[in-house]
Amino acid sequence: MTNRVTVIGSLNVDTILEIPRLPKPGETLAMGDQSFAGGGKGSNQGIAAARAGAETYFVGKIGEDANGKFMVKSMTDSGVNVDQVTVTKEAKTGQAFILLDKNGQNSILIYGGANQVLSVKDVDNASDIIAKSDFLITQFETPIEVAEAGFKIAKKHGVVTILNPAPAREVPTSLLAISDLVTPNETECETLTGVKITDEASMIKGAEKLHEMGAKGVIITVGSKGAFYHTADGHYGFVDAFKVKAVDTTAAGDTFIGALSTQLKKDLSNLPEAIRFANRASSITVQRMGAHPSIPTLAEIEAAETADK
């Protein structure tokens, strides 16, 4: 059965600057190349879900500009329903400027733009779509009150809520209390719980703190190592990442979230299997350049699985 996934989130046009390393203060550094691609944590997650097989809907905001039209096309080309992506005259479409070094690591500057104009009213207008979903995903590149409004609608209708608490920031306990699955990386987990993630014991401690705050399930992603999971009933474990040579880590975490949502059961009973699938999808993303262009299709994920056997 195909999962129905709705994402509330950001839409950004990414400008990717390829550099040998980050410049020092006052230093001028030559770039290797420059390129443009669709991005934004929200839209990356929506496209990842759609390409990996979910029936996917998106709630977001763009400016009245060419970048906005570009983002809508990028989403619809991947099969994402954008009926609830609305246009504002108050701000330009969001943008991100990605400094990508020769080792595939990135540093990112974000202009929130129209993403920050997304409102509770926009979410209320999408309530029918949210109510009919299996999963609702959101992140922190749009206002937190928007995330909370969406999750409240979801909880009224038995929709499973997935909170990707990125970029890292403090989160109201009222939002965590209605988050079924929270998916921080090590830094984000420390911001949420005060627990520094260094080993399995600290991961367990961080997850237990998130359970105390209301989360039923926790996944702590640790980059190229893989992902740790912990459920409120005490089941936990670690799912190793697939070893590949990364050329660009942009959208790897977002691909993980989107792909995960396509496989997950609503009771979270198959977390390890869904994480393995999501790890596989991410391993493909990091081997390619850009955000939207790097996100794999279901056929590509299945082909990678077959090639490994």
Side-chain angles (χ1 to χ4, degrees):
M1 182 176 163
T2 301
N3 281 350
R4 180 168 171 149
V5 176
T6 296
V7 179
I8 299 172
S10 55
L11 300 120
N12 293 332
V13 173
D14 292 348
T15 299
I16 304 150
L17 310 176
E18 294 181 42
I19 55 176
R21 56 174 172 77
L22 286 177
K24 297 172 184 175
E27 180 183 20
T28 299
L29 200 62
M31 292 192 311
D33 200 2
Q34 177 184 16
S35 56
F36 301 91
K41 296 192 70 62
S43 70
N44 293 342
Q45 291 170 14
I47 282 181
R51 289 184 185 171
E55 182 183 344
T56 309
Y57 298 79
F58 198 86
V59 182
K61 187 83 75 175
I62 55 173
E64 202 172 40
D65 49 38
N67 280 346
K69 292 174 183 175
F70 172 80
M71 288 303 299
V72 165
K73 185 177 189 304
S74 186
M75 299 287 279
T76 55
D77 284 351
S78 292
V80 179
N81 181 298
V82 295
D83 289 351
Q84 295 300 322
V85 174
T86 53
V87 180
T88 179
K89 294 181 179 180
E90 295 179 46
K92 298 175 185 175
T93 299
Q95 294 186 68
F97 300 88
I98 299 167
L99 305 176
L100 178 67
D101 74 18
K102 63 182 180 182
N103 298 313
Q105 290 301 311
N106 59 49
S107 300
I108 304 175
L109 303 170
I110 299 236
Y111 162 70
N115 297 313
Q116 295 305 312
V117 184
L118 190 67
S119 68
V120 171
K121 183 179 178 181
D122 293 315
V123 172
D124 288 342
N125 290 341
S127 58
D128 286 350
I129 285 174
I130 294 169
K132 294 174 184 175
S133 301
D134 297 306
F135 296 92
L136 176 64
I137 303 171
T138 197
Q139 342 68 34
F140 292 152
E141 288 182 349
T142 48
I144 276 203
E145 61 266 23
V146 170
E148 195 159 351
F151 276 22
K152 284 178 179 176
I153 294 169
K155 298 312 294 178
K156 286 180 185 175
H157 298 278
V159 179
V160 177
T161 53
I162 301 177
L163 177 65
N164 178 218
R169 58 167 294 173
E170 290 186 14
V171 183
T173 52
S174 55
L175 177 57
L176 287 171
I178 51 175
S179 300
D180 293 312
L181 181 61
V182 183
T183 63
N185 63 21
E186 307 108 303
T187 305
E188 293 150 4
C189 188
E190 184 176 357
T191 299
L192 290 173
T193 65
V195 177
K196 187 172 178 62
I197 302 302
T198 55
D199 55 15
E200 186 178 272
S202 60
M203 290 180 190
I204 293 172
K205 187 176 179 182
E208 287 176 342
K209 284 215 168 193
L210 288 169
H211 293 318
E212 288 171 12
M213 295 173 184
K216 294 182 178 63
V218 176
I219 299 174
I220 302 171
T221 56
V222 286
S224 61
K225 295 176 184 176
F228 173 84
Y229 66 91
H230 197 292
T231 60
D233 56 8
H235 291 289
Y236 67 90
F238 195 89
V239 182
D240 291 332
F242 294 92
K243 302 303 179 187
V244 297
K245 181 172 174 54
V247 299
D248 181 8
T249 57
T250 306
D254 299 329
T255 298
F256 178 92
I257 301 296
L260 179 87
S261 71
T262 70
Q263 303 299 304
L264 207 53
K265 293 180 180 177
K266 291 185 71 173
D267 62 1
L268 309 184
S269 61
N270 67 332
L271 259 181
E273 296 81 5
I275 290 170
R276 186 184 187 282
F277 179 88
N279 280 348
R280 175 68 80 184
S282 291
S283 76
I284 298 170
T285 294
V286 300
Q287 295 178 74
R288 307 196 286 215
M289 291 292 296
H292 290 185
S294 70
I295 298 169
T297 62
L298 179 60
E300 289 174 320
I301 298 167
E302 290 175 340
E305 279 284 275
T306 302
D308 240 13
K309 291 177 179 176

